[in-house]
Every structure is written in C-alpha cells, then in structure tokens.
Amino acid sequence: MPQGDYIELHRKRNGYRLDHFERKRKKEAREVHKRSEIAQKALGIKGKMFAKKRYAEKALMKKTLAMHEESSSRRKVLSNTIKQKRKEKAGKWEVPLPKVRPVAEDEMFKVIRSGKRRTKQWKRMVTKATFVGPGFTRKPPKYERFIRPSGLRFTKAHVTHPELKCTFNLEIIGVKKNPNGPMYTSLGVITKGTIIEVNVSELGLVTPAGKVVWGKYAQVTNNPENDGCINAVLLV
Amino acid sequence: MVQYNFKKITVVPNGKDIVDIILSRTQQTPTVVHKGYSITRLRQFYMRKVKYTQQNFFEKLSTIIDEFPRLDDIHPFYGDLLHVLYNKDHYKLKLGQINTARNLISKIAKDYVKLLKYGDSLYRCKSLEVAALGRMCTVVKRIGPSLAYLEQIRQHMARLPSVDPNTRTILICWYPNVGKSSFMNKITRADVDVQPYAFTTKSLFVGHTDYKYLRYQVIDTPGILDRPFEDHNIIEMCSITALAHLRSAVLFFLDISGSCGYSIAQQAALFHSIKSLFMNKPLIIVCNKTDLQPLDGISEEDKKLVMEMKAEAMKTVMGQGGEVGDDEGVLLTMSTLNEEGVAAVKNAACDRLLNQRVELKMKTKKINDCLNRFHVAIPKPRDQKERPPCIPQAVLEAKAKQAAEKERRKTEKDLEDENGGAGVYSASLKKNYILANEEWKDDVMPEILDGHNVYDFVDPDILLRLEELEREEGLREEEEEDDDFEMDGKELTPEEKEALAEIRKKKSLLIQQHRIKKRTAESRPSVSRKFDKDKKFTTKRMGRQLSSLGLDPSMAIDRARSKSRGRKRERSVDGGDKDNGDAMDMDMDQPNKKLRLRSMSRPLSRSRSRPPSEVAPGEGFKHSAQKVKAIKLGKKSAKKRNKDARRGEADRVIPTLKPKHLFSGKRSIGKTDRR
C-alpha cells in the first residue's frame, strides 16, 4: 500500500466501525426511496432532465429483460421478412424521400437592391446551401445575377450507407437534380430531397466487371441551412 | 528547490459532467427572444450563445491541459517515475486528444457563427445554434474515456510521496525482505509496513531525519531482484528510477544471515549488476541482521564476496577524492532488532553525503560568490595563558547533584516495571497529596450525604466564605439592636398636618394630570389648538390662572383677544357691549375713540392692505407711477409668446402649406423615398 493511501492505512490498522457494514447496507437500501423522492419533487429543467435519464434507464432495462425472452427473436424475423418482401416489390429507382415540400422562390432567394438609388432589384442572393465546383469563379459583380455566398457553400456531405448503417464524410462531386426545378439544379442549390453525386472511392466498391466505383448518387435527408451540414443517404 | 505539488491539479470531471455543467451555464445567458425582433438582434442573440459555449469549453479543457505536468519539463526523477507508473506514451496521447478536442470545438463554433450570419428567420437561427451546441457536446462525449483516465492518474499522482529531488537524500535499497523498512522506521517517523513476506513495500516511501541540524530525506524502495534490466516489473522499476536520478547516498542492506531467502552470493551478484547505476554516489554497505549471525561468523567465500563489494565501494570513495584510509565508513554492521549500530549507520551515511555535497559545491564557480561573503574570524592569541570557560562553583555542584539525583530517583515507570508491569500495578495517585493531616490521604470521599450531592456544595473557598458570612451575621445583629428606638421621635403640629395634607392632595392631582397627558400623547392622537372643542384654551382660564398667581390678567387678555379676532367681530362685540340707545350720540366720539383704541390696541399686529399703485415705505420706488410701470413690465415678460402667429384661440390658419425646405432638394446622406 503506497504511503499516501491514508484511508486504507487507517482501515488496516484500526479496522472498520462496529456498525459499518450494517450502515452501508441500509444506506444502499434507502437509495431507491431517495431516487423516487427526487423524481417526484424535482421541478423545471432539472426535473425534465432527470426524467429523461430515468426513462432511458427504464428502456434499457426493458430491452435487456426482453432479450432474455425467446419469443422476441421469432417476432423480429417475421417483421424482417415482411420488410424485405415490400422492398423487392418496389421499383428499381426508389429513393428514400419520394416527396418533398416545395420551396417557394421568395424563400429560396433574397432580393438584393442595387444602383445608386437602390431601386434596381434584379439581383438575387441564394439563402440555401449551395455547391459550386472546384473551378468556380464568379462573374464580374456588375453582371452577376445570382449570388451564392461563400459562407453557404458546402463541399462535403455526411453520407449514410443504408445497409451498413454507418456514416462517412464524403466529398460532393456535383448536384444531379433538385426537385424544386431545373433552375436550382443548374445553380447548385442543395435542399432537402436533392440528389447529389458523391465521391465513394473511400468505400472501396468494385463493379462486377472489376472497375473501381468512385462516384455514387445520394439523396439529401435534412435541411442543410438549418443544421449547418448535409446529411445524405446513399442510393444503392 | 522546487517542490512538485501534484495535489494542486483540479479535478477532471468526466465527459457527461462537463457537458451538463457548460450547458447549464449557457442557460444563464439571456433566454428570451421573440419572432418579431429584428433579424440582426436574433442573429446576435444566437451567435452569443454559441460563442459563450465555445469559450467555456475552451477554458475548461485548457485548465486540464495546463495543469497536468509535462513529462519533459519536470525533473527527470519524476519524469521517469511517472513514466514507470503510467506509461509516458499513453499519458501524452490522452492529453493530445484533449487538445484536439479543444481545437475541434473552436472550429465548430467558428463555422456555425459564419452560418448564423445568413440566418433569416428565428427558426433557422435557432436550429443552427442547436446544431452547433450538439456538435460541441458530441466532441466532448467522445473524449470521455480520456478524461476518466486522466482523472485516475490525477488521483494517483496526488498520493505520491513528495520527494524533493535536489535536497540531501539517503536511499535504501537491496533485495526484498532484508530489513530496509524496519531501518526506516527506526530512524524516521514514517510508519512503514513491516511484514515477514517479501515485497511488502510496493512503492517508494519517504521519511525525514535530522542530523547536525540538517534535514535529510530518507527514501525506502521496494526490493530489486537480480534480473536483466528489461525484465523488471513496475515496482522494481520505481526503485531503479530512484537510484538512477537522485543524487543521494546509497545504503546497501546486506542480509548476513540469509533469512531473507537469498544467499550472499546472489546478493553480491545483484550488486555487480547494478553498480553502473551508482556512479558518483557515496556508497555504504550495511550488514543487517547481525543478531542472527555476526559478521565474523560467515563462511570464507561469503567473506570474500563481501570484501569484493567493499572494494568496489571504496573505489567510489576514492573517485570523489575522499580519504584513502576510510575503511569504517564503507562497511558497517547493525541489527535493527537490537538497535545496535543503527545510529552509527545513519551518522556515517549523513556524514559521507554531506562531505560529498560540500565538495561538489566547492568545485563549482558559484562557491566563490558565497565564500566572498562570509569570513570566520579567529582571534590571535596574545599570550600562552589558558583561559578555560568560567563556571561558578555553585552551578557545578548543582549540576553534580542533579545528575546524582537523576540516577538515584526512581520514576513511576520504574516502580511499575518492578511491581509486575503495566497490567498488574496501578499507580497510587494520592501519594503526593498535600493535606493538613497526613492521615487523610487514603480517606474515601463520600459522594452523597443526606440525599444531596456533596460535590454541589464543595467549593475551594468554602471556609473563607463561611467566615465572611459569620462576620456579617455578627454585624447585623448589632445593627438591629440600634435601629429599634428612633421611630416615635417627633410629632406633627396641626398646621403642619394641614399643609402636609394639601401638599399630598396637590401632588396626587398633578400626578393624575400627568398621567392623563401621558395617555393622550401616546395612545390618542393629539388635536391641535385650532380645533379645541373643549374650549380649554380660553382667555377666562388664562385670567383665572394669572390671578391665582397674583398677577393682573386684564392687559394680557386684551392683547390676546385683539390678536385672535377679526375687525368685524370686534366691531359687533364692541357695538353689542356698548349701550344701544346712545349709539347716535356717541357717533362723533366713538369712531375716533374706536380708531384710537384700535390703533392703540393693535399697533403693528396687522399689515394694512393698500391699493396696488401705493408705494409702501420700504419698497424702493420713487413714486407710484414708477411702481405701476414696474408691475406692468413684470407681467409682460411672463406672458407666453404667440409663436404660432394665431390671432386667438380659435384661429387655425397655416401660414405656408408647402415649406420649401421640406419639399425640395437632395439629401447629403440617406434616401429621399418619401417626403
């Protein structure tokens, strides 16, 4: 025992209190009641956080209990087969998000006034996330009709592989199709439901012919302007 | 002489706790924001939250990184010790992870603040802020295991014995179970565990001892086994580290009797294998456990081995330029059980160490600065006469007597030992009582007497008190006898009795009045004179009081009356008082008389109201025209100007419907969208 372990040293020399073990046992037994008292009395944000933690524990407990039962495994197998059958019935080009909320033009663009008296209103600034290619140079500011601010330009996306269930941070190669219109596709605007092409050389996929696959399509699943990042699902 | 204080490192909270603390701190920033606020205000609000959270994380992680010691910057002894205990690479890696986390959090905050500048709605700004905070918290959660590891290290480091690597140190090392810890217990106050099995000591122990007014650090190490260098386990590496880095005197404990389980041959082998570690260190070989087997009684080969070791040790002595013939300082014998030779070993070790350190110091350049500063003055003897210290004879005798007494006097402990030891003999505490009568020493004091607790009545001064009481009682009895006659001395005469009665009556009256007054003042609100309902304050009363005092009240009454009454009232009262029939006749005289009366009776009591143009004597105007003009001017200046150019109250005319300065012209700054 090292020189600094005073507690253990004292215990070794003088032993425990006479009622130490009984007190310990009783204290642990009281824990349950204390926790329930806190759960009932805590108010406000503290109460909510505590309730959340407790719920998580409860869910975990239930899961472990259920795992010990045998009937659950059979249920899971059944549901999985049904899901698989449904998938096969569907078409080949099914996308994860078939329908997307339409985005209006005034939501997409912000009018920028120009001119000496600020009366001309032909310039527009894009308010959503955009992708511009690596060789992109702006038109001269006087003639530029659509402004894509550099703060809203993204180069990478978090792409999830639907079967492996893991997420990779992959580079975007280009915007393939924006469901809101061809104009947005040509501008490179990325909104929810846009199909983008990503560089998958990291994954090491190979075609049956033996060629290395380095680009695949993915569909965006979140609102990038609200979250600050592009989350997408790979289309296999 | 830096003392490394690892206890000062702040507690490292685990990942979840950090997140909780900082998020709840972020809630302290202003929380209320509405959709209708201007967009810049909304953006600023959320940007502030993101920045604040980032700063807090930065601070917290920075404190952790700064407070943990860098293994390269501290003394190599500690560096190696920590490496041995915690693995340097692992330690550095964990700290590096925390550093990267810190940088990642800064980057996240920067990116999101940039994005927030484009937020155009409350919802968008809010979701960006939520995303930013969430990402920062994920980063911290990911380094959770590193934080847990660092917390454990911190707890262990705080319990390390504080060894000062630069001061005088004595190191005790050798095979396990040779008696190092018992020696340590004997010379210092460190209570090290001593057990018959090997490897009782599992880490370094530090104790301190004094010698010649200097403090020495004694370090007890766990045992080292004779193995190749790389095969040593962590515990042994601790002692090897200590050996390697601390500049100290090394005491090798040789177990002569072999009761530790290793023969002398093995011990000698160990010596030769690690002799590289103690270059330039004063070595002393101590043969322990001589009570089991004295040094001379060992076999020849063992003796040879011992001599070999001694020769090696001598080499180190010579290497320092020490004396050649210093045989005794190198090989010593002792037994910790009998305590013989323990002090000798300690003294020898301390001496050697001190000499070595002093020599080293003398060799450095800095010593010249020190030497310049002090100078030992030795007075030159002026003649050959001897002058020993002068001690008076009485002191010498007293000293001798004291010494003799000390030898002769029997202490209580000796008595106890004689009569059977601690459990058998109980000392008689009453032996030395000082009492009036010697026979009372063994008396048993009663505790309860007549149903009372004796100790309640016991008092050290009780006899004195009793005497005092008796004295007082004696005096009082005398006094009582004196006081008995003087009561029926004088009788009062009837006039005096009357006067006494009157005085008493008046006194009681006054008291009653005063009481009423008092009651009125505090409990009831007092009414002012103006609303005197009871008509207590009348002139008649005043007149009565004044006449009772013996004064003539008429003048006073008149004066008072003239003050309080108005002109009209007086006239009517006067008219009423006078005879009504004679009113006509008296008309000629009355007005004059009245006027005179009035003027005489109210000389300066009331200022007369005069017409405005009449100049009062003290005003400073020449004549009334001047005064009138002054009044007019004053009124004119206080009049409000008619800036609206209105001819009256109902006039609503607008002089210019289209003032030019509002309807024409360009602006120097700004826009003219609307006029």
Side-chain angles (χ1 to χ4, degrees):
Chain A
M1 186 192 4
Q3 194 174 16
D5 275 355
Y6 302 111
I7 299 179
E8 284 181 28
L9 187 69
H10 176 89
R11 280 215 180 124
K12 195 166 173 194
R13 290 202 180 147
N14 308 41
Y16 290 96
R17 284 174 70 140
L18 293 169
D19 55 0
H20 170 86
F21 293 104
E22 181 164 333
R23 271 169 46 137
K24 193 165 168 194
R25 176 180 61 85
K26 285 193 142 191
K27 190 165 182 185
E28 278 163 25
R30 259 182 267 131
E31 278 303 317
V32 184
H33 296 284
K34 261 206 157 161
R35 281 194 83 202
S36 97
E37 192 186 330
I38 295 173
Q40 287 173 32
K41 288 206 178 156
L43 299 170
I45 186 77
K46 252 197 199 172
K48 284 191 197 158
M49 284 172 65
F50 191 78
K52 193 165 164 200
K53 256 193 268 172
R54 224 156 131 82
Y55 179 74
E57 283 172 26
K58 182 176 179 180
L60 194 65
M61 183 79 80
K62 274 198 159 174
K63 256 195 215 168
T64 45
L65 283 174
M67 258 178 24
H68 291 306
E69 296 173 10
E70 284 191 280
S71 58
S72 68
S73 56
R74 234 189 298 152
R75 264 191 279 132
K76 266 243 146 114
V77 168
L78 231 100
S79 74
N80 280 349
T81 46
I82 292 175
K83 280 190 191 157
Q84 188 135 32
K85 278 210 191 121
R86 268 198 223 139
K87 249 203 231 164
E88 285 167 29
K89 261 199 244 167
K92 198 176 174 190
W93 297 111
E94 195 185 71
V95 273
L97 297 174
K99 277 201 220 148
V100 167
R101 188 180 75 93
V103 180
E105 193 176 313
D106 54 356
E107 197 184 324
M108 188 75 85
F109 296 127
K110 182 175 164 208
V111 177
I112 303 274
R113 286 167 174 252
S114 52
K116 189 174 186 186
R117 306 269 184 263
R118 297 280 185 277
T119 44
K120 302 188 190 264
Q121 299 180 6
W122 51 271
K123 282 187 178 240
R124 299 279 184 276
M125 181 175 88
V126 176
T127 56
K128 306 271 179 197
T130 57
F131 172 75
V132 294
F136 175 76
T137 12
R138 292 164 62 187
K139 285 219 282 244
K142 184 164 180 184
Y143 302 109
E144 157 180 66
R145 204 187 306 176
F146 293 103
I147 301 175
R148 281 163 281 189
S150 58
L152 289 174
R153 291 186 202 159
F154 288 91
T155 48
K156 289 195 159 203
H158 305 304
V159 183
T160 313
H161 196 287
E163 266 139 47
L164 299 176
K165 298 275 191 267
C166 44
T167 316
F168 306 95
N169 200 6
L170 304 174
E171 261 188 38
I172 305 177
I173 300 173
V175 174
K176 175 77 178 160
K177 186 167 169 54
N178 190 315
N180 295 107
M183 180 174 67
Y184 302 123
T185 315
S186 62
L187 277 176
V189 174
I190 301 182
T191 54
K192 186 167 180 178
T194 312
I195 311 275
I196 56 176
E197 195 174 355
V198 286
N199 184 345
V200 293
S201 46
E202 265 186 26
L203 301 179
L205 303 169
V206 181
T207 59
K211 296 203 184 127
V212 176
V213 176
W214 68 280
K216 259 189 169 304
Y217 292 132
Q219 188 180 31
V220 176
T221 52
N222 74 329
N223 285 320
E225 69 276 3
N226 284 350
D227 297 330
C229 56
I230 303 180
N231 297 344
V233 160
L234 203 61
L235 300 176
V236 283
Chain B
M1 299 260 175
V2 180
Q3 273 286 17
Y4 292 103
N5 196 356
F6 295 136
K7 297 188 215 288
K8 275 213 220 134
I9 307 178
T10 40
V11 180
V12 177
N14 67 351
K16 244 175 82 169
D17 281 345
I18 293 186
V19 166
D20 279 339
I21 292 170
I22 290 185
L23 284 182
S24 63
R25 251 198 245 167
T26 312
Q27 278 198 325
Q28 308 281 348
T29 54
T31 44
V32 184
V33 79
H34 293 299
K35 225 173 10 174
Y37 288 176
S38 75
I39 189 64
T40 36
R41 191 166 163 189
L42 291 172
R43 282 186 200 145
Q44 200 192 42
F45 177 81
Y46 286 111
M47 273 199 263
R48 184 168 167 196
K49 282 199 187 264
V50 170
K51 262 269 147 199
Y52 184 73
T53 314
Q54 181 255 331
Q55 273 170 3
N56 278 339
F57 272 123
F58 192 86
E59 265 179 38
K60 254 218 143 53
L61 295 177
S62 300
T63 42
I64 295 176
I65 295 175
D66 290 335
E67 288 196 348
F68 272 86
R70 265 181 242 257
L71 294 182
D72 304 323
D73 289 346
I74 54 181
H75 192 274
F77 164 65
Y78 271 111
D80 267 355
L81 188 67
L82 295 179
H83 172 54
V84 160
L85 290 169
Y86 314 128
N87 193 359
K88 184 157 76 167
D89 297 327
H90 215 187
Y91 177 83
K92 276 190 177 174
L93 207 72
K94 296 297 177 184
L95 279 180
Q97 275 182 1
I98 301 210
N99 198 19
T100 24
R102 188 176 65 162
N103 292 341
L104 277 176
I105 290 179
S106 302
K107 230 169 50 136
I108 291 173
K110 212 162 53 158
D111 285 340
Y112 275 85
V113 163
K114 256 201 294 193
L115 274 172
L116 266 167
K117 291 194 199 149
Y118 295 102
D120 48 8
S121 69
L122 176 75
Y123 177 69
R124 191 159 157 185
C125 293
K126 188 170 180 181
S127 359
L128 280 171
E129 180 238 348
V130 165
L133 290 190
R135 271 175 105 164
M136 287 195 247
C137 294
T138 335
V139 170
V140 173
K141 272 193 216 163
R142 271 209 312 252
I143 58 167
S146 310
L147 292 169
Y149 171 82
L150 283 174
E151 169 63 13
Q152 282 201 353
I153 286 193
R154 181 200 72 90
Q155 282 181 359
H156 197 269
M157 265 207 287
R159 302 246 180 102
L160 286 180
S162 51
V163 176
D164 187 346
N166 295 327
T167 182
R168 302 163 283 274
T169 323
I170 300 179
L171 210 55
I172 313 179
C173 64
W174 205 237
Y175 260 94
N177 219 6
V178 295
K180 310 191 284 293
S181 305
S182 11
F183 177 66
M184 175 95 160
N185 279 342
K186 284 282 181 304
I187 54 173
T188 69
R189 277 195 64 200
D191 265 330
V192 187
D193 245 359
V194 176
Q195 301 280 356
Y197 58 86
F199 281 106
T200 316
T201 312
K202 292 192 208 50
S203 64
L204 295 178
F205 278 85
V206 178
H208 293 86
T209 177
D210 293 321
Y211 179 71
K212 280 192 185 165
Y213 309 112
L214 287 172
R215 202 127 245 229
Y216 287 80
Q217 232 176 199
V218 186
I219 301 187
D220 179 22
T221 64
I224 314 174
L225 292 176
D226 189 13
R227 284 198 274 205
F229 218 61
E230 301 79 37
D231 287 352
H232 284 137
N233 62 22
I234 296 180
I235 304 178
E236 294 169 342
M237 283 305 289
C238 281
S239 34
I240 294 185
T241 316
L243 262 180
H245 289 289
L246 294 174
R247 248 181 349 141
S248 60
V250 185
L251 293 178
F252 278 109
F253 270 55
L254 202 52
D255 185 356
I256 293 287
S257 63
S259 64
C260 64
Y262 305 97
S263 72
I264 298 191
Q266 284 172 311
Q267 299 182 30
L270 173 65
F271 179 89
H272 291 295
S273 66
I274 60 173
K275 66 184 173 194
S276 55
L277 279 174
F278 32 80
M279 299 276 111
N280 301 332
K281 296 195 173 90
L283 271 178
I284 299 186
I285 303 182
V286 179
C287 301
N288 200 9
K289 306 199 188 175
T290 48
D291 54 306
L292 291 175
Q293 173 157 59
L295 179 60
D296 311 316
I298 51 176
S299 61
E300 276 303 318
E301 312 106 43
D302 291 341
K303 240 193 191 146
K304 211 168 51 167
L305 289 168
V306 171
M307 288 306 140
E308 262 179 50
M309 287 201 284
K310 189 167 129 185
E312 285 285 340
M314 294 278 289
K315 272 197 230 157
T316 61
V317 173
M318 302 226 284
Q320 292 160 25
E323 301 83 53
V324 180
D326 194 4
D327 221 10
E328 293 84 42
V330 181
L331 183 66
L332 296 162
T333 65
M334 73 164 203
S335 163
T336 42
L337 205 62
N338 301 353
E339 296 193 28
E340 35 173 279
V342 170
V345 169
K346 170 181 137 190
N347 294 346
C350 295
D351 269 334
R352 293 267 311 271
L353 182 64
L354 198 60
N355 287 340
Q356 193 222 18
R357 280 174 77 99
V358 166
E359 272 180 33
L360 271 177
K361 278 217 174 112
M362 298 286 274
K363 286 195 203 143
T364 64
K365 287 189 218 153
K366 274 200 230 171
I367 193 66
N368 291 329
D369 305 334
C370 286
L371 279 178
N372 288 343
R373 278 191 238 141
F374 54 84
H375 164 71
V376 178
I378 306 173
K380 241 189 330 180
R382 56 173 176 183
D383 54 21
Q384 301 300 331
K385 197 164 152 193
E386 251 200 47
R387 291 185 177 83
C390 174
I391 307 176
Q393 192 63 24
V395 172
L396 278 174
E397 285 175 11
K399 265 199 186 166
K401 209 168 39 163
Q402 220 184 33
E405 219 185 64
K406 240 189 179 164
E407 291 170 12
R408 256 185 296 134
R409 206 182 78 161
K410 230 182 195 184
T411 57
E412 284 292 336
K413 198 154 176 28
D414 293 340
L415 263 183
E416 194 184 69
D417 287 334
E418 276 176 28
N419 291 343
V424 181
Y425 171 80
S426 62
S428 132
L429 299 163
K430 304 187 186 175
K431 213 166 44 167
N432 292 329
Y433 279 6
I434 302 171
L435 297 165
N437 189 347
E438 290 292 321
E439 293 169 28
W440 294 344
K441 267 193 202 171
D442 296 323
D443 282 354
V444 175
M445 255 201 73
E447 290 179 19
I448 302 178
L449 193 64
D450 293 341
H452 295 286
N453 232 347
V454 168
Y455 275 121
D456 286 343
F457 298 91
V458 159
D459 195 8
D461 310 328
I462 198 164
L463 288 174
L464 281 171
R465 295 258 181 89
L466 189 62
E467 264 183 77
E468 268 180 57
L469 263 175
E470 282 177 357
R471 247 186 293 136
E472 272 183 35
E473 274 185 21
L475 283 172
R476 202 178 303 160
E477 277 176 11
E478 292 173 7
E479 267 182 23
E480 270 181 18
E481 290 167 12
D482 284 340
D483 279 347
D484 269 340
F485 359 118
E486 269 191 287
M487 277 319 286
D488 0 304
K490 295 183 199 153
E491 285 264 4
L492 292 167
T493 58
E495 300 97 25
E496 282 175 7
K497 270 191 191 161
E498 254 182 60
L500 186 64
E502 268 197 50
I503 291 172
R504 283 198 180 139
K505 209 166 56 174
K506 193 127 193 219
K507 197 171 172 188
S508 64
L509 259 171
L510 277 174
I511 289 173
Q512 271 180 38
Q513 272 183 2
H514 182 70
R515 284 209 185 116
I516 292 170
K517 213 171 50 174
K518 251 177 53 172
R519 194 165 65 91
T520 316
E522 300 213 329
S523 53
R524 271 198 282 150
S526 52
V527 179
S528 64
R529 214 168 194 244
K530 210 160 78 166
F531 309 110
D532 175 24
K533 241 188 341 172
D534 303 340
K535 296 218 191 312
K536 273 195 284 175
F537 301 108
T538 57
T539 42
K540 287 209 183 86
R541 185 165 164 258
M542 185 176 80
R544 258 184 280 134
Q545 281 185 343
L546 284 173
S547 51
S548 72
L549 285 176
L551 302 165
D552 179 25
S554 42
M555 291 278 294
I557 289 174
D558 285 338
R559 215 179 302 135
R561 282 216 180 127
S562 71
K563 264 198 213 157
S564 59
R565 294 203 196 163
R567 274 159 65 194
K568 245 187 187 166
R569 236 175 118 199
E570 196 192 7
R571 240 192 234 152
S572 62
V573 167
D574 271 336
D577 274 349
K578 300 288 186 240
D579 198 4
N580 278 335
D582 295 334
M584 278 308 281
D585 284 3
M586 301 275 202
D587 248 354
M588 285 296 139
D589 305 345
Q590 288 295 46
N592 291 343
K593 208 174 178 186
K594 249 196 248 166
L595 275 172
R596 241 190 296 136
L597 260 177
R598 201 197 311 158
S599 62
M600 269 174 42
S601 67
R602 299 179 301 165
L604 296 160
S605 54
R606 223 169 139 207
S607 60
R608 299 195 303 183
S609 67
R610 24 174 121 246
S613 55
E614 194 180 314
V615 177
E619 272 181 358
F621 292 109
K622 260 198 280 185
H623 35 59
S624 58
Q626 200 186 44
K627 183 173 182 187
V628 166
K629 189 153 185 222
I631 289 172
K632 254 199 188 158
L633 276 176
K635 284 197 182 155
K636 240 196 203 167
S637 70
K639 231 202 266 185
K640 199 167 176 207
R641 286 186 65 193
N642 187 8
K643 287 193 197 156
D644 300 327
R646 291 197 292 164
R647 275 191 263 130
E649 280 178 338
D651 189 8
R652 301 233 184 110
V653 72
I654 301 173
T656 46
L657 282 169
K658 284 194 162 188
K660 186 171 178 195
H661 68 282
L662 295 176
F663 281 85
S664 75
K666 279 199 193 173
R667 303 233 183 269
S668 50
I669 54 160
K671 302 190 275 188
T672 37
D673 285 352
R674 43 182 177 263
R675 287 194 184 271

